[in-house]
Amino acid sequence: MKVVPKEQLVDQVGTKTTSDWVTMDQGRINAFADCTEDHQFIHLDEEKAAQTPFGGTIAHGFLSLSMLPKLSEGQGVVPENVMMGINYGMNKVRFLAPVRAGKKIRAHTELVNVDQKDDNRFLLTSSVTVEIEGEETPALVAETLTMLVCA
């Protein structure tokens, strides 16, 4: 994580980062299915899912999306004295390819805009691409919004 004076945050537009790999194992997929009550067979039934074009179970698209906080952990740029970051929403999300159980994903993020709301709040817009290890098509692309609050 790069820390800069508040006055220099806007100068960081264009900063790019890449996260570490995270494995999307079947246990994580099962836990997400239980949390969201989305128990569709393509996520849980390995035998039945093997008969689909996916060739096995896949992570929920929303599971891949929900991994963005983990994938952005320790990444990017923040102003000095930041107290917290708040998920402010998204402008765009597209699920481009399924993530097969056992595959690894990582995020490529670019800071595309900084909007200073007042002396202590900054709205950051980032472009995120979630890569699937060994695959050409990414799992998803998104434009995320994060509100940073400084002391």
Side-chain angles (χ1 to χ4, degrees):
M1 182 78 57
K2 182 177 179 183
V3 179
V4 299
K6 290 191 283 190
E7 303 77 36
Q8 295 176 14
L9 187 58
V10 72
D11 298 332
Q12 302 305 308
V13 169
T15 298
K16 296 178 182 180
T17 59
T18 300
S19 74
D20 292 332
W21 291 102
V22 173
T23 302
M24 298 291 272
D25 60 34
Q26 191 63 51
R28 186 186 303 266
I29 295 168
N30 293 348
F32 189 84
D34 288 342
C35 287
T36 60
E37 298 185 18
D38 180 354
H39 294 101
Q40 188 176 170
F41 80 92
I42 62 172
H43 306 302
L44 304 174
D45 187 331
E46 295 178 48
E47 190 173 304
K48 194 172 178 183
Q51 305 306 312
T52 71
F54 302 127
T57 56
I58 60 170
H60 305 70
F62 285 126
L63 170 55
S64 298
L65 184 64
S66 74
M67 294 301 295
L68 292 184
K70 171 64 178 167
L71 294 171
S72 65
E73 193 175 70
Q75 303 288 318
V77 182
V78 296
E80 292 174 330
N81 302 315
V82 68
M83 290 177 19
M84 63 182 156
I86 302 165
N87 177 0
Y88 203 73
M90 299 194 184
N91 290 333
K92 172 185 167 184
V93 177
R94 296 292 182 269
F95 300 107
L96 304 177
V99 178
R100 295 268 318 270
K103 285 284 196 168
K104 292 181 180 179
I105 60 170
R106 70 178 172 182
H108 300 279
T109 304
E110 179 178 0
L111 180 61
V112 296
N113 191 55
V114 174
D115 183 13
Q116 186 166 358
K117 295 298 187 179
D118 58 33
D119 286 343
N120 296 312
R121 294 183 308 129
F122 299 84
L123 182 61
L124 277 57
T125 305
S126 298
S127 174
V128 182
T129 300
V130 176
E131 174 188 7
I132 306 167
E133 186 177 43
E135 297 191 22
E136 194 172 313
T137 304
L140 66 91
V141 293
E143 188 173 86
T144 64
L145 304 172
T146 306
M147 182 68 73
L148 298 180
V149 180
C150 300

